[in-house]
Amino acid sequence: LSPHSLEAEKPPAVSNGDLRLDGKGKKLRKPRTIYSSVQLQALNQRFQQTQYLALPERAELAAQLGLTQTQVKIWFQNKRSKYKKIMKQG
């Protein structure tokens, strides 16, 4: 593949540089991450130990599980939110 053919597949960037639109002007989102059972088991196990990860811990966990640090960060944010919601209900 030439660099030009890769460029042609990318939707145009909007003025702020990080938001992309499809041809119809709709925001494009990355597809939802599907975590493997092994990844989920490790994430849940770590969450039981601590609900918050320091940066080096997050980097290490992400590397071990083959995920990005952002994926780990967001998983923990979502898990904390869900946990608080469950605790609130009793």
Side-chain angles (χ1 to χ4, degrees):
L1 284 171
S2 72
H4 297 308
S5 65
L6 288 173
E7 282 298 317
E9 293 173 20
K10 291 181 185 172
V14 177
S15 58
N16 67 6
D18 61 356
L19 180 69
R20 295 188 177 275
L21 302 177
D22 67 9
K24 298 170 191 157
K26 290 185 181 176
K27 292 180 189 174
L28 278 185
R29 293 172 51 173
K30 282 193 171 183
R32 183 174 167 177
T33 303
I34 307 298
Y35 298 96
S36 72
S37 56
V38 172
Q39 289 170 332
L40 285 173
Q41 190 176 4
L43 289 163
N44 279 308
Q45 200 170 14
R46 192 59 177 269
F47 186 81
Q48 286 174 358
Q49 293 169 8
T50 178
Q51 291 187 14
Y52 293 87
L53 293 177
L55 276 159
E57 294 172 326
R58 187 174 78 199
E60 184 183 347
L61 185 59
Q64 284 173 359
L65 300 177
L67 298 168
T68 66
Q69 289 189 44
T70 303
Q71 287 170 320
V72 172
K73 179 185 79 171
I74 290 173
W75 187 91
F76 266 79
Q77 286 174 342
N78 290 341
K79 185 71 173 181
R80 282 193 299 268
S81 176
K82 191 173 180 181
Y83 179 77
K84 286 175 187 170
K85 187 176 173 185
I86 290 168
M87 294 309 282
K88 193 176 176 183
Q89 290 173 351

